[in-house]
């Protein structure tokens, strides 16, 4: 399986210039290739393919010396990106959507270049990982804050604000964890909970989100006071972008931690299918966190695969309306957090009940936990409990998944 490793680069001033220039030239090539395709399509309904465009590359490199300094495979990857943009466009057309036509990339919208065969050519790790030799740039200082694993497949050099990073995608062997017969259902939460489990645990979104959100609003206000295009405006824009990146990183970190804990402990993890969820619930609170859930579920699926765990998606329809004990279905307003089932009298917490229903839908008998077991263990535990036993990491924690730091 593939795994990505991202490291900070510390280029010198001249190297920074060379990196910027490489981005600039790649972007020019991207836009030119896009232009060619657009025209061919518009004039003759003809499509120019990947290989046709790639054939020009040696010529370009021979005639324009600045392109000669860029690795031929980096340039091929640029054409590849144009190709992917078009493939995506045609795919969406076929699906009956009305997608936007592939667009030209402005300076801000083109921030990386890729060595598609970095394992064999274009890149070399030096001095035991203290430096990396980039074709056309030179030997750049790098910080491998965690060891690189597996075989390097591709390497992407990326600019984020004023910082530079290198992302290696490697082929790694999965590392299965000891088998676990425990299964859990999760309900992707409404505020303030990020998720709720079938065991009654509620994971809140960390508080620093809210703090960061407030800061973000300040920065936004600050920006609105500046004159567009002025130096101060530019500076404020940069600061805002930096804050956005910081929040995104924090969120990602939070997602990694929760996914890690779930995967360490449970052999089977069941969640709602997001695609159906979008159709089934038009609840605003859910919508707000959507992007976050997508990322979280991706991380979860990935970690589960690596550890040899199962992740099951189920149809979420009615999971928040059905009584997990007797199946009685009732629509309730969103603000009702707890209720007593009118049919069987069981006291329920709305989201926990939903998580149990989610788990029940997966019919997890093969892994050793039946629905009945899950329900009975739920009934034994106090609904509002918020603790978690020590996970396999050895971090004994009574604080649950939440990061309340
Ligand atoms: Zn009931």
């Amino acid at each position: 399986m593939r795994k990505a490793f991202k490291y900070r680069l510390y280029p010198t001033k001249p190297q920074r210039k060379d990196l910027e220039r490489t981005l600039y030239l790649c972007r020019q090539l991207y836009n030119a290739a896009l232009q060619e395709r657009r025209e061919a399509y518009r004039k003759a309904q003809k499509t120019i393919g990947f290989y046709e465009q790639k054939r020009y590359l040696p010529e370009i490199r021979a005639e324009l010396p600045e392109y000669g300094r860029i690795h031929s495979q980096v340039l091929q990857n640029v054409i590849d990106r144009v190709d992917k943009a078009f493939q995506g466009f045609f795919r969406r057309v076929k699906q009956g959507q009305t997608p936007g036509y592939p667009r030209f990339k402005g300076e801000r919208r083109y921030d990386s270049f890729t060595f598609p065969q970095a394992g064999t050519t274009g890149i070399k790790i030096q001095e035991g990982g203290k430096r990396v030799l980039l074709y056309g740039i030179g030997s750049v200082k790098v910080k491998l804050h965690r060891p690189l694993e597996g075989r390097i497949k591709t390497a992407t050099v990326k600019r984020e604000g004023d910082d530079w990073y290198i992302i290696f995608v490697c082929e790694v062997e999965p590392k299965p964890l000891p088998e676990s017969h425990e299964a859990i259902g999760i309900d992707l939460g409404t505020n303030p909970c990020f998720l709720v489990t079938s065991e009654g645990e509620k994971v809140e979104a960390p508080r620093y989100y809210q703090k960061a959100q407030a800061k973000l609003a300040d920065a936004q206000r600050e920006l609105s006071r500046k004159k567009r295009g002025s130096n101060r405006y530019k500076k404020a824009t940069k600061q805002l972008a930096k804050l956005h990146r910081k929040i995104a990183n924090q969120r990602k970190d939070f997602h990694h931690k929760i996914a890690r804990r779930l995967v360490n402990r449970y052999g089977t993890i069941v969640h709602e299918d997001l695609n159906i969820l979008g159709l089934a619930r038009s609840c605003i609170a859910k919508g707000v966190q959507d992007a976050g859930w997508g990322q979280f579920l991706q991380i979860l699926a990935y970690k589960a695969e690596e550890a040899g765990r199962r992740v099951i998606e189920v149809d979420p329809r009615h999971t928040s309306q059905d009584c997990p004990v007797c199946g009685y279905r009732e629509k309730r307003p969103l603000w009702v957090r707890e209720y007593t089932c009118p049919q069987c009298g069981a006291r329920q917490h709305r989201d926990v009940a939903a998580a149990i229903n989610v788990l029940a839908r997966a019919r997890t008998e093969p892994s050793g936990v039946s629905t009945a077991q899950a329900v009975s263990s739920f009934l034994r535990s106090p609904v509002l409990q918020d603790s978690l036993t020590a996970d396999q990491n050895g971090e004994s924690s009574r604080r649950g998944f939440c990061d309340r730091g």
Side-chain angles (χ1 to χ4, degrees):
M1 62 187 301
R2 298 269 166 117
K3 192 169 181 174
F5 298 86
K6 183 177 176 183
Y7 303 112
R8 178 95 182 259
L9 288 175
Y10 297 90
T12 60
K13 246 187 189 167
Q15 285 174 341
R16 228 168 245 277
K17 262 196 174 158
D18 285 344
L19 287 167
E20 293 283 357
R21 187 182 39 91
T22 303
L23 272 192
Y24 171 80
L25 291 170
C26 285
R27 183 166 64 88
Q28 298 293 66
L29 179 65
Y30 182 97
N31 286 340
L34 188 66
Q35 169 79 6
E36 191 185 32
R37 284 216 185 184
R38 280 168 83 129
E39 265 171 18
Y41 184 71
R42 209 170 280 159
K43 281 184 188 151
Q45 300 295 302
K46 219 176 67 172
T47 51
I48 297 179
F50 178 49
Y51 291 101
E52 220 170 316
Q53 288 199 315
K54 248 167 79 169
R55 236 178 286 142
Y56 296 124
L57 287 176
E59 238 173 274
I60 292 174
R61 288 184 87 223
E63 272 175 36
L64 304 168
E66 62 267 37
Y67 279 98
R69 289 180 61 187
I70 302 177
H71 199 285
S72 60
Q73 288 193 344
V74 170
L75 298 177
Q76 285 185 18
N77 174 264
V78 172
I79 304 297
D80 206 10
R81 290 183 186 193
V82 177
D83 198 53
K84 287 224 169 75
F86 270 89
Q87 278 174 17
F89 169 70
F90 288 124
R91 189 177 54 242
R92 286 189 292 272
V93 169
K94 254 190 203 155
Q95 286 168 351
Q97 301 168 356
T98 44
Y101 205 76
R103 277 203 264 175
F104 293 114
K105 299 269 189 195
E107 198 187 334
R108 292 275 174 81
R109 314 225 60 173
Y110 204 97
D111 55 12
S112 72
F113 59 92
T114 299
F115 294 87
Q117 292 178 33
T120 48
T121 175
I123 274 192
K124 207 168 160 189
I125 292 173
Q126 301 174 312
E127 295 177 28
K130 286 191 177 125
R131 306 190 78 85
V132 55
L133 184 64
L134 302 175
Y135 182 98
I137 308 290
S139 176
V140 183
K141 201 177 147 200
V142 67
K143 191 170 179 201
L144 301 194
H145 62 280
R146 59 171 176 150
L148 198 57
E149 296 163 31
R151 262 181 313 122
I152 297 175
K153 303 302 276 186
T154 71
T156 295
V157 176
K158 187 164 183 260
R159 180 185 63 195
E160 289 184 11
D162 290 331
D163 301 334
W164 289 87
Y165 294 87
I166 188 161
I167 299 130
F168 293 102
V169 174
C170 301
E171 186 70 35
V172 298
E173 295 296 323
K175 287 175 277 183
L177 286 171
E179 210 178 337
S180 160
H181 291 298
E182 284 187 86
I184 196 158
I186 55 179
D187 177 66
L188 297 167
T190 41
N191 267 332
C193 279
F194 176 72
L195 65 81
V196 174
T197 73
S198 52
E199 293 179 354
E201 192 189 349
K202 298 171 190 69
V203 181
E204 279 180 34
R207 211 168 272 158
Y208 53 68
Y209 275 9
Q210 275 137 38
K211 271 190 211 155
Q213 292 292 348
K215 259 193 195 166
L216 200 62
D218 283 349
Q220 194 80 54
R221 215 171 308 120
E222 198 69 14
L223 181 66
S224 68
R225 287 206 206 98
K226 309 271 187 287
K227 203 177 147 204
R228 248 192 123 82
S230 70
N231 273 335
R232 287 182 172 191
Y233 180 87
K234 277 182 197 153
K235 207 175 157 194
T237 313
K238 256 191 183 173
Q239 246 156 7
L240 190 64
K242 200 173 170 186
L243 205 53
H244 269 294
R245 275 198 303 278
K246 193 179 163 197
I247 293 175
N249 284 338
Q250 283 178 335
R251 188 194 296 132
K252 200 169 180 183
D253 193 53
F254 170 66
H255 290 163
H256 270 284
K257 274 184 189 148
I258 296 171
R260 169 51 56 208
R261 288 188 173 217
L262 286 171
V263 165
N264 276 356
R265 176 156 170 196
Y266 300 99
T268 305
I269 300 158
V270 190
H271 65 79
E272 303 149 295
D273 185 334
L274 274 193
N275 292 324
I276 307 175
L277 190 70
L279 301 173
R281 291 185 201 168
S282 53
C283 163
I284 295 158
K286 288 251 174 192
V288 172
Q289 289 186 336
D290 252 11
W293 290 338
Q295 178 179 281
F296 168 69
L297 292 178
Q298 258 181 357
I299 292 171
L300 181 68
Y302 170 82
K303 286 199 193 309
E305 191 195 339
E306 189 183 28
R309 306 298 208 203
R310 282 203 306 168
V311 170
I312 301 171
E313 290 185 319
V314 297
D315 187 339
R317 269 170 283 200
H318 308 301
T319 48
S320 59
Q321 295 168 12
D322 293 357
C323 167
V325 179
C326 69
Y328 180 77
R329 180 169 297 171
E330 183 185 45
K331 268 200 169 170
R332 282 173 295 271
L334 253 184
W335 49 265
V336 176
R337 315 267 308 169
E338 285 177 75
Y339 62 92
T340 304
C341 173
Q343 187 164 285
C344 70
R347 183 108 182 107
Q348 308 286 2
H349 180 283
R350 177 197 179 94
D351 297 337
V352 179
I356 293 171
N357 288 330
V358 164
L359 177 60
R361 293 228 171 143
R363 305 196 196 297
T364 48
E365 284 86 351
S367 74
V369 174
S370 70
T371 306
Q373 239 178 307
V375 170
S376 72
S377 78
F378 157 71
L379 289 176
R380 266 184 276 113
S381 67
V383 173
L384 291 169
Q385 77 162 32
D386 200 9
S387 64
L388 180 79
T389 47
D391 74 317
Q392 293 181 355
N393 265 344
E395 309 162 16
S396 68
S397 155
R398 305 264 323 151
R399 309 195 315 171
F401 287 125
C402 305
D403 225 339
R404 296 198 193 90

